[in-house]
Amino acid sequence: MAKHARRPGRGTGKPTPVRRNKAAPAERFPPPKPPRKTARTDQKVVFDAPASDSEEPRTFRLGVVPGATPGRWVDAWKQRMPRVPLELVPIDVAGQRAAIDELDAALVRLPLTDPSLHIITLYDEIPVVVAAADSHLMAVDELTATDLEGEVVIGLTDDVLGPLDLPGTVPAAFAPLPTHEAIATAASGVGILIVPMSLARMHRRKDADHRRLVDGPTSTVALVWPRERTTPDVDTFVGIVRGRTANSSR
């Protein structure tokens, strides 16, 4: 009877040959990982901490003569420099030069000549004649110097236009008055006065009115600041006045 060959069964107990690791010693024995760093007990870990503001608190002080209108520039400053308040400081024309030394910048009326100042001319204001609302002068839309012949002209203690060439007019017999008092006097029918339009609007009254004096002197408003104090804040305000945006290059 023929013998059949028998396959070796599973689990015969024969040892499985061991495969040698031919890798380099450095790969077989990698260096140990460094220990994980932990926070010191005397240090507090803060997540999402707000960025600290290194800028010192400050205020931009802008002097303003009567009649100047910086409103749109102030609004632009508030949007561009929200952390730096802008303080408007009223100054009078007679003392505007002395006031500049205590301010960051100022809106003044020219003429003002001083080599220690930066001066940027902004705009010219037209002059107007202020008189009683029922004055015959208010019957027209604009006036000339010839139309004022025979009129009494009230002098001003805070005059900004300088000497006026008005042939045929008569100076008031009383002392010069501040603009707001002079307008009240003109409203009563006692004389007229000539001022920039912004001042006539500033001291508007129901019993007084004004008309443009087409051949009268203008008043120029300018931005000034000391040359030695041209700070980044001043540069920013100058840029706003000149219409530069926050991303504009100078």
Side-chain angles (χ1 to χ4, degrees):
M1 183 180 231
K3 296 182 179 180
H4 296 282
R6 300 177 66 181
R7 295 181 180 179
R10 295 181 180 178
T12 57
K14 293 183 179 181
T16 304
V18 179
R19 302 179 65 179
R20 296 176 60 95
N21 187 353
K22 296 182 179 182
E27 295 179 355
R28 282 184 285 164
F29 305 101
K33 293 182 179 180
R36 178 178 294 180
K37 294 182 179 180
T38 58
R40 290 171 50 184
T41 56
D42 59 343
Q43 291 180 338
K44 184 178 181 180
V45 180
V46 180
F47 296 96
D48 300 327
S52 60
D53 187 359
S54 60
E55 296 184 353
E56 295 183 0
R58 64 188 185 280
T59 299
F60 186 78
R61 303 181 74 239
L62 177 68
V64 183
V65 293
T69 53
R72 65 184 185 277
W73 299 324
V74 173
D75 291 340
W77 176 274
K78 290 178 179 178
Q79 294 178 358
R80 196 172 302 182
M81 302 288 286
R83 297 186 180 182
V84 182
L86 189 150
E87 177 187 357
L88 294 179
V89 182
I91 59 177
D92 57 76
V93 175
Q96 62 183 11
R97 177 59 192 91
I100 293 170
D101 293 334
E102 305 299 324
L103 302 166
D104 293 294
L107 297 175
V108 303
R109 291 189 183 275
L110 300 184
L112 179 62
T113 304
D114 191 327
S116 69
L117 300 176
H118 278 297
I119 301 176
I120 299 178
T121 300
L122 300 179
Y123 57 88
D124 292 331
E125 282 197 78
I126 61 174
V128 298
V129 177
V130 182
D134 57 358
S135 169
H136 68 281
L137 296 174
M138 301 297 104
V140 296
D141 293 332
E142 56 185 29
L143 298 165
T144 65
T146 303
D147 297 323
L148 304 181
E149 290 185 11
E151 297 292 333
V152 174
V153 179
I154 302 172
L156 301 173
T157 58
D158 51 354
D159 175 58
V160 299
L161 294 176
L164 300 174
D165 183 16
L166 300 173
T169 60
V170 180
F174 47 86
L177 301 171
T179 296
H180 69 283
E181 292 184 14
I183 291 179
T185 302
S188 67
V190 182
I192 64 172
L193 64 148
I194 294 90
V195 293
M197 183 179 289
S198 66
L199 293 179
R201 290 175 173 173
M202 180 179 176
H203 302 292
R204 184 186 298 273
R205 296 172 54 100
K206 293 182 179 180
D207 52 357
D209 206 347
H210 63 270
R211 293 293 184 269
R212 180 183 179 186
L213 183 61
V214 295
D215 51 358
T218 60
S219 177
T220 302
V221 176
L223 174 66
V224 304
W225 71 94
R227 290 180 178 272
E228 62 182 13
R229 298 207 309 271
T230 304
T231 65
D233 285 347
V234 170
D235 280 339
T236 297
F237 190 78
V238 171
I240 289 173
V241 169
R242 287 180 166 174
R244 293 197 299 260
T245 64
N247 297 325
S248 299
S249 59
R250 281 178 279 166

